[in-house]
Each structure stands twice: as C-alpha cells, then as structure tokens.
Amino acid sequence: EVELSSDGSAVNTGPKGVINDWRRYKQLETEQRQEQRREMERLIKKLSMTCRSHLDEETDKQKQKELQEKINGKVAW
C-alpha cells in the first residue's frame, strides 16, 4: 500500500524510499550551497573596494587636462 503525502507525491518508507529521500536531500543541500556561494560572490563584488594607484590618478588628471584644453580651444574665438 502506498501513502500520499500532502503535496500529492507517493511516500515509500521502504529501503528504496529512504534511498530516494536521501538522494533528494543531498541534491537540495548541494543546490542550497551553490546558491549561498553565488550570493556570497555577489556580496563580495558589491562590497569590494577598488584601489587606484597614484599613476592611474596622474593619467586621469592628464587626460582631463587634455580634454579641457581641446574644449577651450574649440570655444575660444
């Protein structure tokens, strides 16, 4: 005789049912661990600080200066 659980699936309490339950539990455990890992990676990316070197800042300042000179050259009559 087979019982039905609340979600409508069959419940087998014999050895095969126990093995299937264990497999399903392990599958859910693995899926949960993967989701936690993905969430942790998203959080790390969100909270990670970016680091800029002095050379990067100097390069950006030089580019800004060149851009400003181009703009001033085009605006000046």
Side-chain angles (χ1 to χ4, degrees), residues 5-77:
S5 66
S6 61
D7 65 354
S9 62
V11 177
N12 184 355
T13 57
K16 291 180 183 177
V18 172
I19 291 171
N20 286 338
D21 289 347
W22 180 80
R23 286 181 181 150
R24 180 69 179 141
Y25 169 77
K26 285 299 187 181
Q27 179 185 7
L28 291 172
E29 188 178 61
T30 301
E31 290 172 1
Q32 184 179 18
R33 195 175 314 118
Q34 289 171 344
E35 179 58 32
Q36 286 174 342
R37 188 177 299 130
R38 285 190 295 269
E39 184 63 32
M40 183 68 74
E41 289 172 359
R42 283 192 292 265
L43 187 60
I44 288 170
K45 286 180 182 178
K46 181 180 177 182
L47 298 176
S48 66
M49 295 176 55
T50 57
C51 181
R52 295 174 47 89
S53 69
H54 180 69
L55 183 58
D56 291 337
E57 290 177 6
E58 290 299 318
T59 303
D60 285 348
K61 285 180 184 178
Q62 184 64 29
K63 287 180 183 178
Q64 279 287 23
K65 184 178 178 182
E66 290 171 1
L67 182 61
Q68 190 63 39
E69 289 173 357
K70 286 182 183 179
I71 291 172
N72 289 340
K74 290 184 179 182
V75 173
W77 300 94

